[in-house]
Amino acid sequence: MSKKVGLGTLLCLIASMSWGAMFPVAHSALHMMDPLYFSFYRYLFVTIILVVLLYVKEGKQAFRFEGLSPKLLFYGTMGFTLYNFMIFSGQHLMGDSGIIVASIMEALMPMITVVILWCQTKTTPAKATLTSITIALIGALLVITNGSLSFFMMARDHLLPVLLIFMGAVGWVVYSLGGGSFPKWSVLRYSTLTCLLGTVVSFVIVSSATLLQWLPAPHWNDLLSIKYQMLFMILFPGTIALLSWNTGMKMLSPVNGILFISLVPVTTFMVMSFQGYSISLNEFYGALLVIFALIQNNLSQRKALSKTNLREKSV
């Protein structure tokens, strides 16, 4: 194994495990602070860290938008406002089960990416990919409903939180795809400028909601009460995972790197077990189906790439 592959593997592993632990950690913090303010404060500090890193590494010229501010604003809003606001709001509304649903939705992101690209390019995915998407959807439904048809009878109580979590996942997928629009930019530059603009949008939303008395502003003591959770969310899922994932994906290639996203629900289950949560068999088997679908899709992509490479060599 080369050093590049080894480092890429380590970076993707760190990112996936950080995101897996993110939801249980956030769950305890959301009892003390509104999901919107929690998300805003988290990325306010992440933005400061990224801005310092970018200035030290690339200088002040890296902060030029180069006429791309509309694109940066859009992707920043998708990745750092929509994703966080929606996924943590949905998780909070669902309670304990929301932790697992949010984690499973994170693992579904590769499949969501396939569907979005399908809509954009009008090119139907391979049969193996469509099969994987179907299996993943069945697994996700098994987790969301916990194997009970009564979920559909109580759709009014569950549909909105699940929809919010799904919208958040779509927002992150759109953000991730947006990185391809800036091929000459470093990972750090794209991450920093989009995070900066996304945080500005978040500030406008929470401050406007507070001025209109729709959302109470948290007290300083509220922030201090979750200082350890916030510190973890800022350093690991917020900063280290973001940069590690983007760098690791470049080292391993998306086909190889995306497989590590299957570790997100595994890590979530491990943390929740330590916290005393009793994971049902339906939730466990549903997660296994999602992971199986992701691995199956990854293997089919590898086969397709190897066939393409052989054809190119023979030409």
Side-chain angles (χ1 to χ4, degrees):
M1 181 185 292
S2 68
K3 290 184 179 180
K4 183 179 179 180
V5 173
L7 180 58
T9 299
L10 178 62
L11 291 174
C12 287
L13 185 65
I14 291 171
S16 298
M17 294 185 71
S18 296
W19 286 331
M22 172 176 71
F23 300 111
V25 172
H27 180 66
S28 62
L30 293 175
H31 288 298
M32 306 298 296
M33 185 176 290
D34 178 88
L36 303 192
Y37 265 108
F38 172 74
S39 300
F40 164 67
Y41 278 123
R42 173 195 175 194
Y43 272 104
L44 174 63
F45 292 112
V46 171
T47 299
I48 294 171
I49 293 172
L50 291 177
V51 164
V52 172
L53 288 175
L54 182 61
Y55 183 80
V56 171
K57 188 173 182 180
E58 300 186 28
K60 62 182 181 181
Q61 67 273 8
F63 291 90
R64 296 172 182 169
F65 293 155
E66 299 179 359
L68 298 170
S69 52
K71 275 189 176 182
L72 290 168
L73 178 62
F74 172 74
Y75 290 124
T77 301
M78 290 293 103
F80 299 99
T81 303
L82 182 69
Y83 170 72
N84 287 278
F85 280 13
M86 296 296 101
I87 208 160
F88 288 124
S89 294
Q91 175 187 327
H92 183 56
L93 287 172
M94 290 192 75
D96 289 343
S97 60
I99 304 172
I100 297 176
V101 172
S103 176
I104 289 297
M105 204 66 76
E106 193 96 354
L108 280 176
M109 284 182 182
M111 303 304 174
I112 295 173
T113 303
V114 171
V115 174
I116 290 177
L117 291 175
W118 182 5
C119 295
Q120 286 181 344
T121 62
K122 308 299 181 183
T123 302
T124 304
K127 289 183 179 180
T129 299
L130 291 176
T131 302
S132 298
I133 291 173
T134 303
I135 295 172
L137 182 59
I138 293 171
L141 286 173
L142 190 57
V143 172
I144 293 168
T145 63
N146 200 8
S148 174
L149 294 176
S150 62
F151 172 88
F152 297 100
M153 301 297 291
M154 299 181 293
R156 290 179 300 177
D157 300 326
H158 298 85
L159 189 59
L160 177 60
V162 172
L163 182 60
L164 291 176
I165 294 173
F166 175 74
M167 288 172 60
V170 171
W172 187 260
V173 169
V174 171
Y175 168 75
S176 300
L177 292 173
S181 301
F182 305 85
K184 296 181 180 180
W185 286 21
S186 67
V187 169
L188 179 59
R189 186 180 183 186
Y190 176 69
S191 301
T192 301
L193 296 187
T194 50
C195 186
L196 175 62
L197 293 175
T199 302
V200 170
V201 173
S202 298
F203 172 73
V204 171
I205 292 173
V206 295
S207 59
S208 298
T210 299
L211 289 173
L212 293 170
Q213 298 184 344
W214 294 344
L215 186 67
H219 297 287
W220 177 248
N221 289 335
D222 296 329
L223 192 58
L224 289 178
S225 68
I226 59 169
K227 56 183 178 294
Y228 297 116
Q229 295 97 317
M230 185 64 76
L231 184 63
F232 172 82
M233 295 292 289
I234 292 167
L235 293 179
F236 286 93
T239 306
I240 295 174
L242 176 65
L243 298 177
S244 296
W245 180 257
N246 289 335
T247 305
M249 289 285 278
K250 279 191 171 183
M251 289 182 171
L252 298 179
S253 82
V255 171
N256 295 313
I258 202 68
L259 189 61
F260 285 88
I261 205 73
S262 62
L263 291 175
V264 171
V266 174
T267 306
T268 299
F269 279 7
M270 289 175 61
V271 174
M272 291 184 71
S273 296
F274 284 125
Q275 291 178 336
Y277 180 79
S278 180
I279 299 167
S280 72
L281 285 177
N282 288 317
E283 291 170 329
F284 178 72
Y285 289 140
L288 283 183
L289 281 175
V290 173
I291 294 170
F292 170 77
L294 181 60
I295 294 174
Q296 178 67 25
N297 186 58
N298 181 271
L299 291 174
S300 65
Q301 285 182 321
R302 286 169 181 264
K303 289 180 181 179
L305 281 175
S306 62
K307 287 181 180 179
T308 302
N309 290 335
L310 286 174
R311 287 173 186 171
E312 290 177 350
K313 288 180 180 179
S314 61
V315 174

